[in-house]
Amino acid sequence: MASVKPRTIKGKLRREGSLHGLILACVGASIGSGWLFGPLYTAQQAGPYAVGSWMIGAFAILLLALVFAELGPLIPRAGAVVHLAHVGNGPIVGHMWSWILFLSYATIAPIEVTAILTYANNYLPGLLLQHSDLLSSKGFAIALVLLAFFVAINFLVVRWVLKINNGATWWKISIPVLTVGVLLATSWHPGNFVVHAQNAAADFHGMFVAVATGGVIFSLLGFRHAIDLAGESKNPKRDVPIAVIASVLIASGIYIALQVAFIGAIHPDDLAAGGWRRLHFSGINGPFAALAAAVGAGWLAVLLYVDAFVSPGGTALIYTTTAARVTLATADTGALPKWVARINRHGVPWASLILLYVVGAIFFFPFPSWQKMVGYIASMTVLSYIIGPIALIQLRRAMPDLERPFRLWAAPVIAPLTFVVASWIVFWAGLNTLNFIFGTLFALLIFYALTGIWRKGRWSAMGWQYMWWIIPYFLGLWGISWLSPAILGGTGVLGFFSGMAAVAILSLLIFYVAIHQAVADSTMRAYMHHFSKRGSSAP
């Protein structure tokens, strides 16, 4: 196979990020629109089991975070996950994962902007279509302006972006904590936590489904910013593992408390008609603000409407920052044109920021509401991160003596377990989501195959022999989802837990096949040596 050495791109990002800034970037990214809507949609799907959804999600994300706590410092570059896909699995897998990751990041800012306008519609009517959570034409126009605003701020150097985010993050942490305290003190209905026999099975299954589609995983993915901003950290080998693990623990604790407070605060009369699945109350498009007003805490409702701009806005800001760095890495591997990685004299990746605005603006049209987009984003992002457990074992085998600032204990057990759990999350997203995701990915695969035919010598250099595990993995996940019960959009041939068992077996088989099909150890060592050279000009 041809060398997988990344392309050299002129210009460097500045190493100005501190440990404090990295942790706040991760926590700030986690506490965005997810806290404003996640507890509502999770409760509607899982009822009292919604608290379990957040615990399952926290466990799954902590597994991924531990894997990347070891991997992140090994490639302290912008968009490290893109390089990890490339290093052990060759160009074609690296290119596919580059696009998966790019699309998952490019859609975050639009969804946060949609959240801002959804809350704002409660006091500025007309941003949404009447009796709907879909953006109106007026809402679309304002959304494009807001997205441009967040992109424009990112033209500042990274230390100023992180300073702005740090200030917003302290606000973003304080308001949810305050909301939990007020709701627990003024509106507590312990009967809401009782699981009724007629709904027990549906709620229990919903507990797992909500992890993927209720905003749980979407809300807890903020840890990845420590990985993506490693290229601008002053001390990435020390700071990245600490920031990754600490941010998951902080964000999970806040979200579990919010879910408990939300369930306890709902008035039993709002559940009497149709239970949790038909939960509806006045102002439900701004659920926490509506609950605050209902318990007489009007002052808190005002704060929450302000926070409905600050929290999603801060998340949109930091995701635009890291998405630009992921785009740099995508260009570095050759999956995007070289001009995308242009950096100005202030260290700002201006070309990738413009590309992100264009792509983000397009995504408003097929996904004009928060709930429509969240399941797609969560599943696409988790799918992009399943390469981590594979890369960890590949690098352990190829470079056992490589210095690792954080070495994951029991990696031969935790890595395949993480791969299985991540596959479950994709499975829980349901057949409709997988139709969209896998359809897109197979279209990309065909595109790269045609590229190999049209470009002389390109086919043999793309590393097809290292990617055959992807086809049975994707087809297997899709097939099991097609046979899954109706709650996941399937035909019902398989039960819920028998489907999960099938996914686990498939995932373990694919995991070890992918390890076996890795590129040569010498090629991986050459690639990693490239990143160890301090003088390298790649971003």
Side-chain angles (χ1 to χ4, degrees), residues 135-401:
L135 290 175
S136 65
S137 56
K138 176 182 177 182
F140 272 117
I142 296 177
L144 294 175
V145 173
L146 274 178
L147 184 62
F149 171 73
F150 293 123
V151 170
I153 293 179
N154 270 276
F155 276 83
L156 300 172
V157 295
V158 72
R159 70 173 181 272
W160 287 107
V161 174
L162 291 179
K163 283 181 179 180
I164 293 171
N165 181 73
N166 291 353
T169 297
W170 286 116
W171 166 280
K172 292 166 67 174
I173 293 173
S174 301
I175 298 301
V177 171
L178 176 63
T179 301
V180 169
V182 170
L183 292 181
L184 291 178
T186 59
S187 182
W188 180 249
H189 303 97
N192 291 349
F193 292 89
V194 175
V195 178
H196 299 288
Q198 66 270 27
N199 299 323
D203 287 349
F204 190 63
H205 293 163
M207 176 177 67
F208 297 96
V209 175
V211 173
T213 63
V216 175
I217 290 297
F218 170 79
S219 301
L220 296 176
L221 284 169
F223 81 90
R224 58 185 175 170
H225 293 281
I227 310 297
D228 297 321
L229 291 173
E232 290 153 280
S233 171
K234 294 176 182 177
N235 189 356
K237 291 187 176 182
R238 181 202 67 181
D239 294 352
V240 170
I242 295 174
V244 162
I245 296 170
S247 63
V248 171
L249 296 177
I250 293 170
S252 299
I254 291 173
Y255 273 106
I256 290 171
L258 281 166
Q259 188 66 72
V260 170
F262 181 86
I263 292 175
I266 296 295
H267 197 283
D269 289 346
D270 294 325
L271 297 172
W276 288 102
R277 277 168 179 71
R278 297 184 181 179
L279 173 64
H280 187 82
F281 50 84
S282 179
I284 196 170
N285 282 338
F288 276 107
L291 288 178
V295 300
W299 58 272
L300 178 59
V302 173
L303 280 179
L304 289 171
Y305 281 124
V306 173
D307 183 70
F309 180 86
V310 176
S311 285
T315 299
L317 175 64
I318 197 64
Y319 263 101
T320 303
T321 303
T322 49
R325 276 68 186 170
V326 168
T327 308
L328 287 180
T330 303
D332 193 22
T333 61
L336 280 177
K338 191 174 181 179
W339 62 263
V340 172
R342 290 176 181 171
I343 299 172
N344 67 20
R345 62 188 179 88
H346 300 293
V348 176
W350 63 271
S352 64
L353 286 172
I354 294 174
L355 176 63
L356 285 168
Y357 177 77
V358 173
V359 173
I362 292 172
F363 263 90
F364 280 122
F365 294 95
F367 301 104
S369 75
W370 193 88
Q371 192 175 19
K372 286 182 177 294
M373 198 181 273
V374 69
Y376 156 77
I377 292 175
S379 301
M380 184 71 91
T381 305
V382 170
L383 191 63
S384 71
Y385 274 76
I386 65 167
I387 206 72
I390 295 173
L392 186 145
I393 300 301
Q394 289 171 336
L395 286 173
R396 285 279 188 99
R397 184 189 65 184
M399 306 181 73
D401 298 325

Side-chain angles (χ1 to χ4, degrees), residues 97-111:
W97 251 255
S98 296
W99 278 102
I100 294 171
L101 199 65
F102 172 78
L103 292 173
S104 71
Y105 271 82
T107 53
I108 298 294
I111 199 174

